[in-house]
Amino acid sequence: MIDMHILENRQDHDLGVGKIEKIANETGWLEKPLFLWQQDGSMKFQQRLVCIAATSIIVVVYLIFLANVHLVSLHGQDSEQIKVSLRESPLHLTNYDWQEPDQQQCRLLDNLESFSNLTSLYLRDKAKYDTLSNGQYELPTKSYDPDDIPEKLNVILIPHSHNDAGWLRTLEEYYIYTTKKILNNMMIKLKQYPKMTFVWAETVFLSMWWNELEDDTKVHVRNLVKRGQLEIVLGGWVMPDEASTHYVSVIDQLMEGHLWLYENLHVKPQNSWSIDPFGHSGTVPYILKKSGIDNMVIQRIHQATKSALASVKSLEYNWHQPWDTSGKYDILCHVMPYMLYSIQYTCGPDPYVCFQFDFRHSDNPEKKAFAKRKITGANIDKMANYLYQQFRKKSSLYEYNTILVPIGDDFRYDSLHEWDEQYNNYQQLMRYLNSRKHWNINVQFGTVADYFSLLKRESKKKNFPTLAGDFFPYSDQNYLYWTGFYTTRPFDKRFSREVESNLRTADILNTLAFGYCNKWNVKFAHSHETASLLQQARRHLGLFLHHDAITGTSKDYVMENYESKLLEAYNDTQKVMSMALQTLLTKGKFPSPLILSPDLVRQKFNVGTSQRTISISDSGTTIVVFNPLPKNRNMLISLIVNTDDLQVLDKNMKIMSYQLNPVWISKVSVSRSKFEITFLVELPPLGIHTFLLRKGDCKEMYPSLLSVYNSMELDVAPNLKFAQNRPVFQPKQSQKLRIENDFILGEFDPVTGLLQKVLDKRTGNVTNIQIQFMYYTSRGSGAYIFFPKGEADPLPNVWGQPVVRVTEGPLMSKIEVLHPIIHHTVILYKVPTEQGQNFHIQNVVDMHASKTKDWEIIMRLHTDVMNENLQYYSDQNGYQLIKRRTKSEIGIAANYFPMTTMSIIEDSAKRVTIHAGQAHGVASLKQGELEIMLDRQLMYDDNKGLGQGVTDNKPTLVNSFYR
Ligand SMILES: [Zn+2]
């Protein structure tokens, strides 16, 4: 979400820079900071994010005061090798304002946790991790004594059907072959059985179905909802994964779903139903609460945690935000206690008993093998007794005498027969159970709303316990941890974040174009097209948040279906950006033809983003840069151009300094026709600037100095302007490589090219940070599960020493390590702003090498940070941080957590932060260590239903930066 968006204006049209500047100046566009939002209640999200950002800024804020220290070259090479001496950075003396974060706003998490009775950290410590002989974790169910006079028990049976928006089949296939039938049957049978109820969660399927309905059927559906027989629960576009998703996209898909429901069914969901995502985040309950939802049901949390909660009768609790001192955002949460949400695991603790109460195939001669006994006069007493005892045992886990019993499973109720059998058999059972006075029980069909309304009536005078935190990692049985999916298919996780960033930017530009056209009294010519493109992009991205999509846990061809939709969303959002920008820059006068082209392009669904090579025409090429963030940004950007004979001019036609970098065409050969230029852009919040690139000699050009190690060659054509050192074939370990700016200096091993130490120039403190690439060998890992054989090993030396390339210049320096599997790049920007205070790390991981089968590759940072008790922090959906504590005794896989954007280890003197451009699994297994998993190639299935390994790895850019 932090990328600038750069669009190129091909100069083959009359929209020259002068004209753009003139129009833009008239409109006040280039200078005036613009704000989209007013300060009101809806700002809470932004405020919270600012708080997180401020937390991470604290460590680096002091560095800015060293901006006047001159760069001292510590390059350890023979100066005679240097053809051209490096020039000093033109940016040293530039002064920028630096805002101190408001310390008061950033309270310490430790103090705030005390506002809740329970925390997930506490539960993790208290949980008992032993399993029974059947591999399951034990729940403390009380046995039922038939002689007791029991208290009144209310049982709400909730018929439901879990419909995955893609998994073993695509969304469209599921809809055509199954979901459409389920919804059609629902219409018929809810009409026929007015006492029967149904709940539905996924709006994407409703919207597909709706388009095929006659108007009178639509009225009928609305009536079912109105009288509470059909309840729409959650109502997001999908039931999203909560580990790998960014909060902005979680909100987007929830809004898309809720808006659709409001417009078409005239309803706002009050209850959430999230029964299949693999673990639950502490941020999602807050988002649900803000969306108007009052209660929620979850299922997949660690079975040992469920046991710990049940032992203190806290499977129902108020989910609390640790920073919310008023409890205003608390939301009541019901945790389903058993292993799964199918009928086998919902009536009570014994799956063999509950299994008998799934009447899907009763009386169906074709499905005799699956058929359960129908309820008859002959067996009803025995069967009702069984069910009664299971209900009582289930209720012993809860504080109150109201229990929720879901009656359904994946894609259930697809036949009319199933509707009839479930209804008729349960009707008989309910009549019998309710008529037994001494059982003191009332069983009825109901919805989630019915359940919570009864529960709240019963619990009126007491408070529910409060809980803060999240439920990762998830394990259902056999010590198997669902921590692999935090990283599975990183190509797609990265892709979705790029789409999310585009979508946000396109939304902002579209809003601005619309607003300004109103102000200028002109029509925003593209408004209908942009609105429809944005909605489609939002729906495609929303679909990808589904808990088998962004998790990477669908079949290969289903993943390709998602990727095609993401590609469409990527390109459509770029089109909206171009249309809106062109409208803004021309004051609505030249909305077409579209002459702006985006700098970043995606050609195919299975190939990553690349940067366009900009052809510099004789008259010059205009570059438009937009800052989508509501804050000032001064940062270096890089473009690829087709000449090294050019000038960069700012909006006042003043020649700007830039650094000329090589584009490599092989490990050691520099292109003669493509070059990278890096220059500074300074942008107000939501501001646009234009630059002109034109041919011509430039005194303000700074060619970089090139060096290579572990190679005998460096192929740079003599007419190119780069300085170069003689290649070093066998570097001595003592000849450290260094790159530095005014704030920090990094020292690298010349043999491996990897970071070893960082010097903080203000304090003189040195932090040892050694980057190492390693791999786990799979013992039973799959798309979901991380199950390594043992500890990680360093990548073997079978490929020989990688070529190490160093590019140095006054505006930026970088070190690249060309390992056959990982192209690792560390960049240091020499700019006195935030961008200059971090090492920017890029890893392009390509697991196609045959030696990587059943490997899970990680990047581990070994530091001298003394993090006590192996404590560290990771983020929840990019919205807030949460404390983690490694429990070595439960194994490596059990100590992996999701990291959507950030992870931190610290002691009283030092803090190391990794920011990530996409979701990963993260762990700190030993003191001072922080590791992130980069990619995994797995040959086998992990028995969670997918039926395949993960072998469709694609080269993936993994962006992160270290502070
Ligand atoms: Zn599912």
Side-chain angles (χ1 to χ4, degrees):
M1 299 300 288
I2 59 166
D3 289 336
M4 293 244 186
H5 288 269
I6 304 159
L7 292 107
E8 173 200 352
N9 163 25
R10 294 211 184 118
Q11 194 60 24
D12 50 6
H13 193 271
D14 64 353
L15 186 68
V17 67
K19 193 161 194 172
I20 291 174
E21 292 298 313
K22 191 166 172 288
I23 293 165
N25 278 328
E26 281 169 16
T27 61
W29 248 97
L30 297 183
E31 297 302 337
K32 205 189 289 173
L34 294 164
F35 291 93
L36 251 190
W37 302 285
Q38 294 299 314
Q39 183 81 19
D40 63 15
S42 66
M43 283 292 287
K44 288 298 189 294
F45 285 129
Q46 282 83 13
Q47 286 167 354
R48 190 67 200 143
L49 191 66
V50 166
C51 194
I52 289 180
T55 314
S56 53
I57 287 164
I58 292 167
V59 247
V60 292
V61 69
Y62 56 83
L63 295 170
I64 195 70
F65 302 114
L66 289 181
N68 292 338
V69 175
H70 283 256
L71 188 80
V72 180
S73 173
L74 293 179
H75 189 73
Q77 301 296 320
D78 183 349
S79 59
E80 284 178 17
Q81 300 292 328
I82 302 174
K83 282 205 300 192
V84 182
S85 351
L86 281 175
R87 293 158 65 188
E88 288 227 332
S89 166
L91 305 177
H92 280 311
L93 301 174
T94 319
N95 284 318
Y96 292 99
D97 288 338
W98 188 268
Q99 286 183 344
E100 286 274 0
D102 183 348
Q103 300 283 351
Q104 292 300 315
Q105 280 184 11
C106 299
R107 291 162 184 265
L108 287 173
L109 195 64
D110 281 347
N111 296 339
L112 291 170
E113 278 176 355
S114 61
F115 282 85
S116 49
N117 307 126
L118 295 163
T119 65
S120 46
L121 205 59
Y122 170 83
L123 289 166
R124 187 169 153 85
D125 282 343
K126 291 292 158 198
K128 294 188 178 72
Y129 293 92
D130 300 331
T131 58
L132 302 169
S133 57
N134 62 3
Q136 296 192 9
Y137 299 90
E138 191 176 10
L139 276 174
T141 307
K142 271 194 203 160
S143 62
Y144 165 69
D145 181 354
D147 295 332
D148 277 354
I149 298 172
E151 289 182 45
K152 173 76 181 282
L153 179 63
N154 286 307
V155 182
I156 303 289
L157 303 178
I158 302 181
H160 73 104
S161 181
H162 178 71
N163 282 243
D164 286 307
W167 181 39
L168 308 178
R169 289 176 161 187
T170 63
L171 170 81
E172 290 79 8
E173 287 170 343
Y174 275 138
Y175 175 71
I176 291 165
Y177 297 119
T178 319
T179 307
K180 185 177 168 178
K181 288 184 203 157
I182 298 169
L183 291 166
N184 285 339
N185 293 344
M186 173 188 83
M187 283 300 304
I188 297 164
K189 290 298 169 183
L190 289 186
K191 199 172 186 178
Q192 186 181 341
Y193 305 129
K195 283 187 183 164
M196 197 173 182
T197 55
F198 204 56
V199 300
W200 191 268
E202 301 84 2
T203 303
V204 59
F205 283 119
L206 287 178
S207 81
M208 293 168 93
W209 182 56
W210 200 250
N211 294 337
E212 299 182 18
L213 296 186
E214 301 289 336
D215 282 352
D216 55 345
T217 319
K218 289 180 182 174
V219 172
H220 185 55
V221 180
R222 285 189 198 116
N223 285 338
L224 286 174
V225 171
K226 204 171 171 185
R227 66 169 181 263
Q229 199 180 350
L230 168 65
E231 184 185 6
I232 308 301
V233 282
L234 175 61
W237 198 244
V238 295
M239 188 183 287
D241 166 57
E242 300 185 15
S244 308
T245 45
H246 193 278
Y247 80 95
V248 169
S249 54
V250 174
I251 295 169
D252 259 357
Q253 65 80 36
L254 194 63
M255 280 172 60
E256 194 62 28
H258 281 201
L259 278 171
W260 187 93
L261 291 168
Y262 193 70
E263 281 169 14
N264 295 288
L265 293 183
H266 310 160
V267 67
K268 287 168 82 174
Q270 302 293 306
N271 300 287
S272 171
W273 177 260
S274 186
I275 57 173
D276 202 25
F278 329 132
H280 288 275
S281 149
T283 296
V284 171
Y286 170 60
I287 293 172
L288 293 176
K289 181 79 178 186
K290 289 284 285 182
S291 80
I293 284 175
D294 294 324
N295 313 293
M296 56 190 291
V297 176
I298 59 172
Q299 156 63 25
R300 289 187 189 266
I301 70 170
H302 198 308
Q303 284 297 127
T305 309
K306 286 187 183 177
S307 192
L309 283 170
S311 66
V312 287
K313 294 255 177 120
S314 298
L315 283 167
E316 285 174 326
Y317 59 84
N318 276 317
W319 205 328
H320 180 73
Q321 296 301 316
W323 41 264
D324 170 23
T325 50
S326 66
K328 185 172 149 191
Y329 299 110
D330 285 6
I331 176 166
L332 182 58
C333 180
H334 169 97
V335 182
M336 285 162 57
Y338 306 116
M339 205 175 92
L340 281 170
Y341 49 80
S342 53
I343 295 174
Q344 192 178 352
Y345 295 98
T346 54
C347 85
D350 191 337
Y352 297 102
V353 175
C354 293
F355 194 49
Q356 302 303 317
F357 293 90
D358 182 356
F359 303 103
R360 175 179 169 82
H361 295 306
S362 299
D363 211 21
N364 184 348
E366 287 168 24
K367 303 274 185 182
K368 249 185 176 163
F370 305 98
K372 311 295 174 320
R373 278 175 298 177
K374 278 179 78 119
I375 300 300
T376 63
N379 67 12
I380 192 157
D381 182 59
K382 193 166 98 188
M383 293 295 279
N385 239 302
Y386 283 149
L387 194 57
Y388 173 70
Q389 289 185 34
Q390 291 299 309
F391 287 164
R392 281 288 175 190
K393 284 178 183 170
K394 184 171 185 175
S395 93
S396 77
L397 299 173
Y398 293 91
E399 179 72 24
Y400 301 104
N401 290 312
T402 302
I403 59 167
L404 174 156
V405 178
I407 306 288
D409 203 344
D410 290 358
F411 296 98
R412 281 307 190 85
Y413 300 92
D414 57 336
S415 70
L416 292 171
H417 178 83
E418 180 175 6
W419 283 88
D420 293 334
E421 290 304 314
Q422 302 287 22
Y423 178 77
N424 290 325
N425 285 293
Y426 273 105
Q427 271 298 101
Q428 290 184 65
L429 284 163
M430 284 190 279
R431 270 199 296 269
Y432 192 86
L433 283 154
N434 296 346
S435 67
R436 309 284 284 184
K437 292 282 177 258
H438 63 287
W439 282 355
N440 203 11
I441 190 167
N442 182 59
V443 189
Q444 65 185 87
F445 285 122
T447 58
V448 184
D450 295 328
Y451 172 74
F452 279 110
S453 127
L454 262 182
L455 178 72
K456 286 186 169 171
R457 204 181 307 156
E458 192 191 342
S459 63
K460 217 187 258 171
K461 293 193 181 105
K462 296 188 224 159
N463 290 325
F464 287 94
T466 53
L467 182 147
D470 69 352
F471 295 108
F472 292 111
Y474 164 59
S475 171
D476 50 352
Q477 57 179 338
N478 290 329
Y479 311 107
L480 291 177
Y481 279 85
W482 298 49
T483 50
F485 82 90
Y486 303 157
T487 309
T488 302
R489 284 161 163 154
F491 175 88
D492 300 292
K493 289 180 165 73
R494 170 80 194 158
F495 197 173
S496 69
R497 283 284 277 277
E498 290 179 16
V499 172
E500 185 179 327
S501 169
N502 274 8
L503 178 60
R504 181 83 182 129
T505 306
D507 256 333
I508 290 169
L509 277 170
N510 186 56
T511 308
L512 291 172
F514 197 79
Y516 270 84
C517 281
N518 266 348
K519 186 177 159 191
W520 297 326
N521 245 340
V522 294
K523 190 171 157 27
F524 177 20
H526 297 292
S527 61
H528 288 295
E529 190 182 353
T530 57
S532 130
L533 290 173
L534 284 170
Q535 183 184 64
Q536 195 54 53
R538 206 174 293 120
R539 290 180 174 185
H540 284 335
L541 178 64
L543 174 69
F544 193 70
L545 264 58
H546 163 56
H547 56 267
D548 285 308
I550 195 168
T551 52
T553 55
S554 282
K555 291 274 189 200
D556 290 355
Y557 88 100
V558 178
M559 292 309 299
E560 287 180 4
N561 181 273
Y562 291 129
E563 286 161 4
S564 301
K565 289 177 172 123
L566 286 177
L567 180 69
E568 195 183 320
Y570 187 92
N571 289 327
D572 285 352
T573 45
Q574 284 200 328
K575 192 174 175 193
V576 172
M577 283 187 237
S578 302
M579 290 193 282
L581 263 175
Q582 194 164 315
T583 303
L584 285 165
L585 289 167
T586 60
K587 217 173 172 182
K589 289 176 185 150
F590 304 103
S592 53
L594 207 54
I595 55 160
L596 292 170
S597 312
D599 179 51
L600 296 176
V601 286
R602 268 197 181 256
Q603 310 272 15
K604 292 182 180 167
F605 68 86
N606 55 0
V607 178
T609 303
S610 59
Q611 201 167 7
R612 188 190 298 272
T613 302
I614 300 168
S615 279
I616 311 300
S617 63
D618 289 342
S619 55
T621 300
T622 305
I623 304 295
V624 182
V625 184
F626 171 63
N627 172 17
L629 295 187
K631 66 170 188 176
N632 281 308
R633 291 172 89 185
N634 303 301
M635 64 186 288
L636 292 161
I637 62 166
S638 296
L639 302 171
I640 307 293
V641 291
N642 67 342
T643 175
D644 59 351
D645 182 26
L646 88 163
Q647 299 169 337
V648 180
L649 292 97
D650 72 5
K651 59 182 173 155
N652 301 317
M653 299 302 275
K654 187 176 152 245
I655 291 182
M656 296 178 64
S657 317
Y658 70 91
Q659 181 174 326
L660 185 75
N661 292 326
V663 170
W664 298 87
I665 50 174
S666 77
K667 283 184 182 177
V668 292
S669 300
V670 170
S671 169
R672 297 169 189 216
S673 57
K674 284 186 187 181
F675 306 89
E676 183 187 76
I677 57 166
T678 300
F679 59 98
L680 183 75
V681 297
E682 302 177 62
L683 286 164
L686 304 175
I688 300 171
H689 269 203
T690 55
F691 299 89
L692 182 69
L693 307 184
R694 73 176 178 203
K695 283 192 177 160
D697 214 22
C698 183
K699 288 194 181 107
E700 293 300 314
M701 178 181 67
Y702 295 76
S704 51
L705 165 66
L706 315 180
S707 318
V708 295
Y709 298 83
N710 300 325
S711 168
M712 295 175 82
E713 282 181 82
L714 171 55
D715 174 20
V716 183
N719 62 328
L720 296 182
K721 292 167 179 159
F722 302 110
Q724 54 183 299
N725 283 312
R726 187 185 299 148
V728 184
F729 182 52
Q730 287 178 318
K732 291 188 188 119
Q733 217 133 25
S734 55
Q735 287 182 307
K736 300 294 182 197
L737 301 177
R738 295 189 178 102
I739 55 174
E740 64 183 310
N741 63 15
D742 294 348
F743 309 116
I744 43 178
L745 181 151
E747 193 172 273
F748 297 72
D749 181 329
V751 180
T752 63
L754 297 173
L755 182 66
Q756 292 188 313
K757 278 181 189 166
V758 176
L759 167 69
D760 175 338
K761 289 191 174 178
R762 187 194 72 139
T763 61
N765 283 343
V766 173
T767 306
N768 289 315
I769 300 181
Q770 292 174 7
I771 289 184
Q772 192 180 18
F773 291 97
M774 307 179 82
Y775 70 103
Y776 290 100
T777 311
S778 161
R779 185 173 157 201
S781 292
Y784 306 85
I785 304 293
F786 175 36
F787 189 13
K789 273 186 180 152
E791 295 192 3
D793 293 309
L795 289 184
N797 223 356
V798 291
W799 292 287
Q801 285 303 341
V803 169
V804 176
R805 288 197 301 237
V806 184
T807 305
E808 292 168 275
L811 300 188
M812 57 101 86
S813 290
K814 67 177 163 186
I815 294 186
E816 294 166 273
V817 181
L818 305 170
H819 190 282
I821 301 173
I822 301 165
H823 182 158
H824 169 69
T825 308
V826 177
I827 304 172
L828 184 63
Y829 293 100
K830 300 176 183 181
V831 59
T833 63
E834 281 170 70
Q835 193 190 20
Q837 294 167 21
N838 325 292
F839 285 108
H840 295 248
I841 301 168
Q842 293 176 351
N843 296 307
V844 179
V845 183
D846 186 358
M847 290 191 77
H848 269 86
S850 59
K851 290 187 188 304
T852 63
K853 284 186 174 130
D854 278 318
W855 280 20
E856 293 165 80
I857 293 182
I858 60 163
M859 180 174 76
R860 186 177 281 172
L861 270 60
H862 303 264
T863 76
D864 51 8
V865 173
M866 309 281 277
N867 54 325
E868 272 181 41
N869 300 323
L870 298 179
Q871 274 180 186
Y872 65 108
Y873 294 86
S874 62
D875 71 302
Q876 301 179 78
N877 311 96
Y879 181 67
Q880 56 189 330
L881 289 166
I882 184 166
K883 192 193 283 176
R884 307 295 190 193
R885 195 180 296 137
T886 297
K887 281 174 78 77
S888 305
E889 65 276 19
I890 55 173
I892 294 166
N895 284 296
Y896 255 73
F897 288 94
M899 172 178 83
T900 322
T901 58
M902 181 192 293
S903 194
I904 296 172
I905 52 170
E906 64 179 8
D907 59 24
S908 55
K910 291 175 180 170
R911 174 185 286 183
V912 171
T913 307
I914 288 276
H915 294 258
Q918 66 183 81
H920 297 274
V922 66
S924 173
L925 301 175
K926 292 193 179 135
Q927 191 172 63
E929 282 184 8
L930 198 59
E931 67 184 51
I932 59 175
M933 193 176 281
L934 299 177
D935 200 358
R936 29 203 333 256
Q937 186 184 35
L938 302 161
M939 308 314 289
Y940 302 102
D941 181 44
D942 51 9
N943 289 318
K944 296 297 171 192
L946 179 58
Q948 62 156 77
V950 183
T951 54
D952 59 347
N953 307 66
K954 304 174 188 77
T956 299
L957 170 68
V958 179
N959 262 331
S960 49
F961 63 94
Y962 145 79
R963 279 181 197 267

